[in-house]
Amino acid sequence: MRVKTEMKKKYKLLLIDDDKDILAVLSKFLRKKKYTVVTASNGLEAMKLFESEDKDFDLIITDLVMPHITGVGVISIVKQKRPEIPIIAITGWGEHPEALATESQADLVLKKPFELSELDNLISKLLSKNNNNDT
Amino acid sequence: MNIPPPLIGVSQAIESIRELIKHVSDTGLNVVISGESGVGKEVVAQNLYFSSPRKDKPFIKVNCAALPEGLLESELFGYEQGAFTGANQRRRGKFRLAHKGVLFLDEIGDMSISLQSKLLHVLQSGEFSPLGSEKDIKTDAWVIAATNHNLEQDLKNGKFREDLYYRLNIIKFYITPLRNRPEDISPLIEYYIQRYSNHFNTNKLLKPSKKVMDSLLAYHWPGNVRELQNVLKRVVVLKDWEEVVNELNSSSLPTNLAVKQSDESSIVSDLLDPGDLETKGLESLSLKIIKKKVLDRIEKEVISYVLGKTGWNRSKACKILKISYKTLLYKINDLNLEPPSTLKRKLS
Ligand SMILES: Nc1ncnc2c1ncn2[C@@H]1O[C@H](COP(=O)(O)OP(=O)(O)OP(=O)(O)O)[C@@H](O)[C@H]1O
Ligand SMILES: [Mg+2]
């Protein structure tokens, strides 16, 4: 897997969580996996990054329960504007946000706690699926 | 009206509200706006609407606290002719009227649990049916809800449905109380003094002194911007900052006793002598003193009513009141009762 992603282009991920610690752990891990990682600590910040010209994200990972624009909001907005960008929702808040994330077309919903390697696998899968569809 | 109400403020809080409005107004995603009474929840709702592509469609407001459950339900969903006794003709619900526009559900925290379930169902399915109708009607209303409740607390107490909470709270606005963003006070004063001055036809711009400004900044504004507006209206009429601000500070009790709605008078603040409270502290809240004050007030009203009815004929009045002539004279003196000036001349 790792060799494969290194050989291809460097993917750019947008990582959104209002928990600074989770953001730090996940971004450190994903950078080690040779992804370019941009972080946002809430949905509003994420939307600003998403809308700025130079940030063309290949995949988005978002927490669900956050202030201002929730993860469900982020997913809905992204899927309205750029439905091809895969989104992974991570949640530790029970069934309701999870159901809403699925309803708003998140590609995957991952329940906390999860293994980092599991996240890595899912990212690779979504990215390669997307690449195959593109070409 | 086809311009949004102004959203004045230079604080970080208001800045980020403006930013959030800009980012979500074209999404149609469910919104909840929370904050104390008078902070500007409706202002934010209107600004969302006016910056959205729905601005040429209706903005329909429903106050969920103002109507009993049954009425609120028919208000929201409408009914068919004969749906219930008194339903003489078919009536469209607010969901229908707000089609392609905005449905502003004000005071959503006051909605009954059973109506919450019905609302949830509509939000889930995107369809509703009027009372007495079999048909489901599709709805495309942008739901913006507002509340001064702490909904998270209501969740814990079982007063608000969790599933509805998450479904509504896709976009969350919280407007912080005015006392937490004192830097907004000055621009608000400027705007509203100007506006009320035109309104009341005085051109003179009233600028508060440094001392006045300091006490405005220190005040806790339980009624938030609405209370500030009331203060500014008085300033424009009285043309005197000092007086209005003194009033403000003397009528303001310690926060735990303060009236919730600034424009609602409370028995407590009414009966307490603010001077007393300052010099004697909470001792002036003694029940004995309060009782005497209440009784005095009632006695005064009753006696002056009877005196008025009898044309200040004191012997008639004391018979009606079943007190001695002497007692009546004493009370008239003690309660500072005075005959109206037209009668006064006749009596003396
Ligand atoms: N930022 C602001 N700039 C200008 N005017 C404001 C602002 N915030 C509030 N106001 C004014 O203050 C008054 C109260 O605001 P609004 O009705 O929106 O409050 P609210 O939060 O809905 O209060 P309630 O909970 O009592 O319904 C309105 O006249 C509104 O125009
Ligand atoms: Mg309101």
Side-chain angles (χ1 to χ4, degrees), chain B residues 307-333:
Chain B
L307 283 169
K309 281 281 170 201
T310 58
W312 272 74
N313 183 328
R314 277 156 282 197
S315 39
K316 264 192 199 165
C318 68
K319 276 184 196 121
I320 295 171
L321 293 163
K322 298 199 174 65
I323 50 174
S324 73
Y325 191 75
K326 230 173 105 188
T327 311
L328 179 62
L329 290 188
Y330 168 78
K331 295 262 177 202
I332 288 175
N333 189 38

Side-chain angles (χ1 to χ4, degrees), chain B residues 71-327:
Chain B
L71 272 181
L72 181 56
E73 183 176 357
S74 61
E75 193 64 13
L76 285 171
F77 307 123
Y79 49 82
E80 293 297 326
Q81 188 180 354
F84 48 85
T85 354
N88 295 326
Q89 60 191 36
R90 163 167 183 257
R91 195 184 142 108
R92 289 184 158 182
K94 301 287 188 188
F95 258 103
R96 182 63 211 274
L97 297 174
H99 190 60
K100 292 189 185 306
V102 166
L103 181 62
F104 179 48
L105 298 176
D106 205 4
E107 318 287 1
I108 187 92
D110 293 291
M111 188 182 272
S112 71
I113 286 278
S114 72
L115 206 46
Q116 284 177 31
S117 315
K118 291 177 182 160
L119 176 61
L120 175 71
H121 177 75
V122 176
L123 296 178
Q124 277 169 338
S125 63
E127 288 179 346
F128 68 97
S129 52
L131 275 73
S133 161
E134 308 270 287
K135 265 195 308 195
D136 287 329
I137 304 175
K138 281 230 167 324
T139 163
D140 171 23
W142 182 17
V143 175
I144 301 179
T147 182
N148 52 23
H149 287 213
N150 177 340
L151 285 186
E152 289 74 19
Q153 195 58 47
D154 287 359
L155 279 187
K156 283 183 202 141
N157 300 335
K159 293 198 191 105
F160 206 83
R161 288 185 64 122
E162 199 172 324
D163 39 14
L164 179 61
Y165 171 85
Y166 284 111
R167 183 155 298 264
L168 281 173
N169 271 275
I170 307 296
I171 309 291
K172 304 187 249 197
F173 283 85
Y174 170 71
I175 313 176
T176 193
L178 187 57
R179 64 183 155 280
N180 295 346
R181 43 184 172 100
E183 62 272 45
D184 291 343
I185 291 176
S186 182
L188 281 166
I189 291 177
E190 215 164 286
Y191 175 82
Y192 280 112
I193 287 280
Q194 178 74 51
R195 186 166 133 195
Y196 296 148
S197 299
N198 294 338
H199 190 239
F200 293 107
N201 256 333
T202 31
N203 294 321
K204 207 176 119 221
L205 248 172
L206 296 149
K207 231 180 136 50
S209 68
K210 167 95 175 61
K211 188 174 149 241
V212 164
M213 202 58 212
D214 284 345
S215 46
L216 291 175
L217 292 175
Y219 183 58
H220 61 281
W221 300 108
N224 292 291
V225 182
R226 188 179 294 114
E227 186 180 12
L228 178 60
Q229 284 178 327
N230 291 338
V231 165
L232 297 175
K233 281 179 196 160
R234 286 185 63 73
V235 168
V236 168
V237 172
L238 297 174
K239 299 195 181 55
D240 184 352
W241 269 106
E242 304 270 335
E243 191 182 329
V244 177
V245 169
N246 285 342
E247 242 170 56
L248 192 68
N249 284 322
S250 60
S251 68
S252 85
L253 295 160
T255 355
N256 54 346
L257 286 175
V259 250
K260 244 184 149 181
Q261 284 270 350
S262 59
D263 34 20
E264 252 173 37
S265 73
S266 104
I267 302 178
V268 178
S269 61
D270 246 32
L271 287 170
L272 284 177
D273 182 354
D276 269 359
L277 195 63
E278 245 173 57
T279 49
K280 297 181 204 144
L282 290 173
E283 261 162 47
S284 64
L285 284 177
S286 125
L287 261 193
K288 215 163 141 190
I289 298 172
I290 300 279
K291 264 188 198 157
K292 164 124 178 60
K293 282 191 178 175
V294 174
L295 283 179
D296 280 355
R297 211 156 93 172
I298 294 171
E299 267 192 1
K300 190 169 176 174
E301 260 193 63
V302 171
I303 294 172
S304 84
Y305 176 77
V306 172
L307 283 169
K309 281 281 170 201
T310 58
W312 272 74
N313 183 328
R314 277 156 282 197
S315 39
K316 264 192 199 165
C318 68
K319 276 184 196 121
I320 295 171
L321 293 163
K322 298 199 174 65
I323 50 174
S324 73
Y325 191 75
K326 230 173 105 188
T327 311

